[in-house]
Structure formats: C-alpha cells, structure tokens
Amino acid sequence: MLFARELSPLIKKSASIRTFSFAKMATTTEKILTLKDGRAISYREYGDLEGGYPVLFFHGNMNSRMFWPAWEKTLDQTVDAGARVIALDRPGYGKTSLDWDKRSYLQWGQDVGEFCDTLELESYATVGFSSGGPHSLACAASN
C-alpha cells in the first residue's frame, strides 16, 4: 500500500493528448462485490478505468460512493492524473453490509484487503475524506 506522497510519480502520465469516452471515465451503475463470508461491499469507479493507478476512496459521514456532484467537478483532473478512483461505501452505507459483530476499523481493513485481492489490485493507495480517514488508516494497519 502506498501513501499519497508516494503516489504522484506512479500515476503521472505523459503530456501527450489523450481522449476518453465517458464510458471509460466513470461507471454509471453501482457494483457490488460479495466477500467470502457473504457480506457485500458496494462501489463505483471514476477516472481512468482502463489503465489508471487504483486509488481507494472512503467517503465521509452522510455521504456515499454516489456523490456525483463532487466527482463530476474533478473527473477530467482524475483522468489526466492517471488515477482510477474506486469509491467504496463504508459499512452501513449504500448497499455495503453492516454486521455489528464484525464492525471495527481493523475488520474494514481486512475486508478491503479481500476486496483488492478479488479485483486483483497488486498495489493501490487509499484516501479517506473526513470520517473516512480512519478507514483509510485501518487499511494501512491491516494490510
């Protein structure tokens, strides 16, 4: 796992002009990944979906992976940076399962590890906004 200061050189693309269709820039529907124990993680992808460096985004309180007004304003910059943002709903938000017996930051980190293994992400960065910050740190502690 990489931290933001290590991420920039990895996602920088050449200065050549690139064109993208909207379909390559953002998913239009939610995706749901089922963990081995049957719980679900819902997510949505933005940015350079075909070759971008994976950046897992954990939203703040009273928000979700579907907060399109925020993503729409930065979509071009995300693509230009060569990032593939994967916005996951935290437990209890959207269609991500909430299991009180497994509700801890460290469990979330393990769940995200399984999520990344399933998507075959060899390396990635995490970003947490507001109350998503501890969830990002949990990934660093767990993986």
Side-chain angles (χ1 to χ4, degrees):
M1 184 175 342
L2 300 172
F3 292 97
R5 66 180 162 9
E6 301 167 314
L7 178 62
S8 182
L10 292 172
I11 65 173
K12 294 274 184 193
K13 297 282 185 176
S14 68
S16 64
I17 297 174
R18 296 177 294 150
T19 58
F20 291 86
S21 70
F22 182 76
K24 294 179 183 178
M25 293 172 61
T27 58
T28 56
T29 59
E30 70 182 2
K31 295 181 179 182
I32 299 175
L33 184 139
T34 303
L35 300 172
K36 292 175 186 172
D37 67 2
R39 289 177 297 127
I41 295 179
S42 57
Y43 66 101
R44 190 170 182 178
E45 298 179 274
Y46 303 87
D48 183 351
L49 303 183
E50 293 183 348
Y53 189 83
V55 178
L56 306 181
F57 178 81
F58 308 122
H59 60 81
N61 195 28
M62 305 303 288
N63 210 322
S64 77
R65 68 184 161 18
M66 297 298 294
F67 192 57
W68 180 247
W71 298 111
E72 180 182 31
K73 293 176 183 177
T74 60
L75 190 54
D76 290 336
Q77 294 93 332
T78 303
V79 170
D80 290 342
R84 171 188 173 194
V85 176
I86 305 170
L88 289 77
D89 276 338
R90 295 177 10 226
Y93 290 86
K95 294 185 179 174
T96 295
S97 303
L98 176 61
D99 182 343
W100 286 107
D101 293 334
K102 294 188 175 185
R103 181 71 177 107
S104 72
Y105 287 124
L106 292 179
Q107 181 62 51
W108 174 250
Q110 293 167 5
D111 293 346
V112 169
E114 182 179 334
F115 175 91
C116 291
D117 289 345
T118 302
L119 292 183
E120 299 179 351
L121 302 178
E122 293 182 18
S123 64
Y124 55 91
T126 64
V127 176
F129 171 72
S130 189
S131 59
H135 290 79
S136 179
L137 291 173
C139 292
S142 296
N143 295 305

